[in-house]
Each structure stands twice: as structure tokens, then as C-alpha cells.
Amino acid sequence: MKKPILIAFILMMNTVFAQTNRFVYQVTAKPNASDKNEVKTENAYLDISPEKSVFYSENRIKRDSVMQANFKSGGARGFKREQMEGLRTNINYTVEKNKADQKTFFKDRIGRDMYMYEEDRPINWKISSETRKIGEYKVQKAETDFGGRTWTAWFTTDLPYPDGPYKFNGLPGLIVKVEDDKGEYSFDLMKNYKIADLPALNQFGNTVKVKRADYTKQLKKFQEDPMAFMGQGGGGPQMRMGGGGNQNPADMRKRMEERIKEEAKRNSNPIELP
């Protein structure tokens, strides 16, 4: 009788440790360089599995679900503008961190395709002896310069994950809060719970692997001349949202170009500065 009980216990423990932990962060940003009074707030997930972690917008997975359902029922024409407006996000990127090789990958869509690069800059923390309490956690202070900003993070060893939101990692505990010194970007842990596994995020278009510098160049080109990235098909699936079936293609392209350029202006204060 003892052997079956032991096997059951081992299986149960493997299940416990194999679970994925979801940490929900409130992300506050001032993305418009010409209007610092404009504050954007939304939630993002940091899902940590035994193999890797993934950081992405909460609205991303909700939007993916709606898009997938609409494509199954009516294709691109099934999209309704008002249905998607409430799922807009300023976090269009995904950050993946692999535990085995300690590599961080950044993914972002430019036009039709998904561009991915491996982060080539280490995050060097200066850990302070200063501690405080944030919510239920005792946290410790750490500082770093990264992406053109100076950041202050508060981490807790109560959550033994050397990880955090965005690209931040490498501290002896999970980052509960991290904020830049200008108060333009902050990530605050709100809650956490367990999920069965990492979700499958929909990906339209091709994945283009590039160097970080090449991604920056391509993004700038896209913002200056978005039609150059669209091709004859008018862009990926997300580019065709909200359109009816009888619109003039030239008018649609013009409105699309104007919208992308306007979004670029509204996001003229990115999280990483040149």
C-alpha cells in the first residue's frame, strides 16, 4: 500500500511545482511627450512557469479571444469597431524570459509581421539596505539605469522569483513595484494566483528575428511611412478591423496611415528612450 501512496504523493508534488503563477501588475504610463497630464493605466500579466516567464497586456489576451471568435464566425468583416475599442492597449509588446539560458526576448508587431530581438543589455542592479512594506510584502530597494531611464525597484524575497514586469529581472525576489525617476512609467503588483498553464497567444503574420538596433530602425521607418510595411494586402488581420465591405481601398489606406501616425504621436514618450 505504501508504494501507491508514495507515487500519488510524487505526482501531486510534481503537479504543484509545475503550475504557472500569474502576477497581475497595474501599469501606469505617460506615453505622450507633448501632454504629460495624459495618464494611461491598464493591467498586464507576468506569467511564470517552471521554464520561462511571459509579460503581456491583459487586453491582449482578451482581444485575441475576440478576434479568434470573429474570424471563425465571419472573417475580417465580423469585426466591430466598438467591440475592440474597449480592448485597446499601450502594451503592444510581449517579453519572454527563458530560465535555462537566462535570455530575454522582446516581441512587437510592426505592420504585418512580428519582430523579435534578444535583449543584449544586462540589467545591473544596485541593491540598497532600505526596506519598507508594500501591501502584505516586506520589500527591499534596488536601482538601475536601463533604456535611457533611472529605475527604482522594490522586490520581496517572500516571492522567490528573480523576475519582474517588462524586461526587469535578476533580483533575489519578485519585483513588487518599479518606477522611473520621472514618474512617467510604473509597474505595481496588484494580485497573484495560479493558472493551469501559459496561454497560447495568437500571432498573425511572420516572426522576423532581428538585432535590437534593427528593430528600432524598422519601427521608426514604420511610423514615418506605415504603408511601406503593409504590402498589397493592406496589412495583417488587425489592420482591417472596423471596416465595412464597401469602403474604397484608397480611402481605407489613407485613414489607416493617418491613424498609425496619430498613434505614433500619442506614444512619443516610449518606455525606452534613445
Side-chain angles (χ1 to χ4, degrees):
M1 292 295 292
K2 290 184 178 180
K3 191 173 182 180
I5 293 174
L6 178 61
I7 293 173
F9 176 76
I10 292 172
L11 290 173
M12 181 187 72
M13 293 306 294
N14 285 340
T15 300
V16 170
F17 286 112
Q19 282 183 320
T20 296
N21 292 277
R22 171 167 290 171
F23 298 92
V24 183
Y25 288 84
Q26 178 177 279
V27 183
T28 305
K30 298 178 181 179
N32 192 336
S34 60
D35 184 5
K36 294 298 179 65
N37 292 320
E38 182 182 0
V39 179
K40 301 288 186 180
T41 302
E42 63 179 294
N43 287 345
Y45 295 155
L46 174 65
D47 292 345
I48 303 178
S49 76
E51 295 80 27
K52 67 178 181 179
S53 70
V54 185
F55 181 77
Y56 58 99
S57 167
E58 179 182 66
N59 279 350
R60 160 77 183 277
I61 197 166
K62 291 180 179 179
R63 186 177 58 192
D64 281 358
S65 178
V66 172
M67 290 175 70
Q68 193 171 33
N70 276 322
F71 273 118
K72 287 181 179 179
S73 62
R77 294 182 181 181
F79 287 110
K80 296 179 181 179
R81 183 181 298 275
E82 62 274 12
Q83 187 179 29
M84 304 303 290
E85 281 298 317
L87 298 177
R88 292 175 65 87
T89 176
N90 286 309
I91 305 171
N92 293 299
Y93 57 81
T94 303
V95 180
E96 293 186 7
K97 307 184 190 95
N98 295 334
K99 293 185 179 181
D101 54 17
Q102 298 295 301
K103 291 183 177 181
T104 298
F105 294 93
F106 181 88
K107 297 180 180 180
D108 190 17
R109 181 172 298 283
I110 303 179
R112 295 177 63 103
D113 300 316
M114 185 72 71
Y115 282 70
M116 178 178 76
Y117 67 81
E118 179 184 342
E119 179 53 62
D120 55 359
R121 299 161 296 176
I123 299 179
N124 299 312
W125 295 101
K126 181 181 178 181
I127 299 178
S128 166
S129 60
E130 184 179 346
T131 61
R132 59 188 262 199
K133 199 84 179 289
I134 296 181
E136 62 184 285
Y137 302 112
K138 179 183 178 182
V139 296
Q140 189 171 345
K141 184 179 180 181
E143 295 176 298
T144 189
D145 290 322
F146 183 78
R149 297 180 185 271
T150 298
W151 297 89
T152 297
W154 296 90
F155 67 93
T156 179
T157 55
D158 294 341
L159 297 168
Y161 305 97
D163 210 334
Y166 192 56
K167 298 177 181 178
F168 300 111
N169 66 343
L171 287 167
L174 187 77
I175 294 173
V176 173
K177 179 180 178 66
V178 59
E179 181 179 30
D180 77 301
D181 62 343
K182 296 179 181 178
E184 294 176 351
Y185 283 87
S186 68
F187 301 81
D188 297 88
L189 180 64
M190 306 300 291
K191 60 182 177 180
N192 67 87
Y193 52 90
K194 293 185 182 300
I195 59 176
D197 202 355
L198 292 173
L201 299 175
N202 289 336
Q203 180 173 306
F204 301 103
N206 301 314
T207 296
V208 183
K209 296 181 180 180
V210 295
K211 297 291 186 181
R212 180 172 58 87
D214 293 330
Y215 160 80
T216 302
K217 290 178 183 177
Q218 292 291 80
L219 180 61
K220 185 177 180 181
K221 287 181 180 178
F222 172 66
Q223 292 171 342
E224 292 174 348
D225 186 10
M227 290 304 105
F229 286 82
M230 298 302 185
Q232 294 183 349
Q238 83 287 355
M239 296 298 179
R240 296 194 291 265
M241 290 189 300
N246 299 317
Q247 296 188 47
N248 185 294
D251 291 342
M252 289 179 66
R253 289 170 68 88
K254 182 179 180 181
R255 284 197 299 272
M256 193 183 303
E257 186 170 22
E258 290 173 351
R259 177 174 60 82
I260 292 170
K261 288 185 176 182
E262 182 60 31
E263 286 182 358
K265 290 179 181 179
R266 290 200 302 266
N267 291 280
S268 52
N269 183 37
I271 187 171
E272 292 188 31
L273 300 172

